[in-house]
Amino acid sequence: DTAVSQTPKYLVTQMGNDKSIKCEQNLGHDTMYWYKQDSKKFLKIMFSYNNKELIINETVPNRFSPKSPDKAHLNLHINSLELGDSAVYFCASSPEQGPNSPLHFGNGTRLTVT
Amino acid sequence: GNSVTQMEGPVTLSEEAFLTINCTYTATGYPSLFWYVQYPGEGLQLLLKATKADDKGSNKGFEATYRKETTSFHLEKGSVQVSDSAVYFCAQRDGTGGFKTIFGAGTRLFVKA
């Protein structure tokens, strides 16, 4: 009965490779997000989709490309991985876009680029 | 732009001690305010929220009151347990830039038995 699930949990890869992280939510939420958490635990929003439409696109290198095939899924593809991409990536969802809407997080994908 | 500032950690307390984690925010409008908790190896979980001035959010013995006059949302608990050891994040959310949730830097809490 996992609410927001991400795969894989760990990802170790070399510089220059391309990798994807998948996210699925079974909560029926309309809005999904990708956040990046650095080694000091700081969380920064990367993207947000509402009903498959991109609504937030922060200053993120265009090597990062989100894709939402339907409102229950939001995947993140990263091209030409760099050392600085090492972080924990969290997928999240919320019932709606409104200000009172809390986020529901997955357990994260720890990406290590060597 | 909007931001959230919370006290630096780590905070180390003995079991049954009183906890305060300070949080202040800057916003152009009137955001909703949240506290999230992150246990090791997990994602963040909503702990409590308040959606307007003077609202008090509470859950599992934790409380925080939305203070518009001081732009603060400090987290308190009267008696912490070892199981409360985690990282706590203060956050705000409003319509600026498309309803994104902006987080503070997190405060790590260690509770000793």
Side-chain angles (χ1 to χ4, degrees):
Chain A
D1 61 343
T2 305
V4 181
S5 59
Q6 303 179 219
T7 54
K9 188 170 173 65
Y10 300 98
L11 189 49
V12 181
T13 189
Q14 292 184 323
M15 282 174 55
N17 285 349
D18 303 338
K19 290 293 178 187
S20 291
I21 307 171
K22 295 188 175 182
C23 178
E24 176 181 2
Q25 54 96 3
N26 63 6
L27 297 166
H29 289 172
D30 285 343
T31 310
M32 296 184 72
Y33 310 79
W34 279 109
Y35 276 83
K36 180 180 179 181
Q37 186 175 47
D38 64 23
S39 58
K40 295 187 177 177
K41 297 291 189 183
F42 186 72
L43 271 163
K44 185 166 170 48
I45 190 166
M46 301 173 69
F47 303 103
S48 175
Y49 273 73
N50 186 64
N51 271 322
K52 304 192 299 175
E53 190 177 330
L54 181 67
I55 54 170
I56 295 174
N57 185 352
E58 289 293 283
T59 311
V60 176
N62 58 15
R63 298 181 295 103
F64 291 79
S65 52
K67 281 196 173 48
S68 183
D70 56 60
K71 76 172 194 177
H73 295 84
L74 179 61
N75 304 323
L76 183 65
H77 188 76
I78 316 169
N79 288 328
S80 304
L81 278 154
E82 300 178 357
L83 292 176
D85 297 332
S86 295
V88 181
Y89 292 85
F90 285 100
C91 178
S93 69
S94 64
E96 56 180 11
Q97 287 190 70
N100 303 334
S101 223
L103 299 182
H104 297 249
F105 282 83
N107 283 336
T109 296
R110 182 176 293 277
L111 172 64
T112 304
V113 183
T114 61
Chain B
N2 292 4
S3 66
V4 175
T5 303
Q6 56 183 111
M7 62 189 284
E8 279 193 40
V11 173
T12 303
L13 296 172
S14 297
E15 211 166 19
E16 298 183 6
F18 186 85
L19 168 71
T20 301
I21 301 178
N22 290 338
C23 171
T24 57
Y25 66 92
T26 59
T28 51
Y30 300 101
S32 293
L33 302 175
F34 303 82
W35 278 99
Y36 289 83
V37 58
Q38 184 179 28
Y39 298 102
E42 296 183 10
L44 281 72
Q45 303 171 26
L46 177 68
L47 182 58
L48 53 85
K49 73 176 186 181
T51 59
K52 60 184 188 300
D54 300 325
D55 266 4
K56 178 187 279 189
S58 61
N59 185 27
K60 299 181 183 178
F62 291 90
E63 292 183 341
T65 301
Y66 191 141
R67 302 279 187 210
K68 193 174 81 170
E69 62 276 11
T70 53
T71 61
S72 64
F73 192 55
H74 305 319
L75 182 69
E76 296 182 336
K77 186 176 185 183
S79 176
V80 293
Q81 306 300 313
V82 171
S83 57
D84 293 327
S85 299
V87 181
Y88 291 82
F89 292 88
C90 185
Q92 65 161 295
R93 181 178 172 95
D94 69 3
T96 304
F99 290 113
K100 56 184 151 185
T101 301
I102 295 170
F103 289 88
T107 302
R108 187 180 293 275
L109 170 66
F110 291 107
V111 180
K112 303 180 296 185

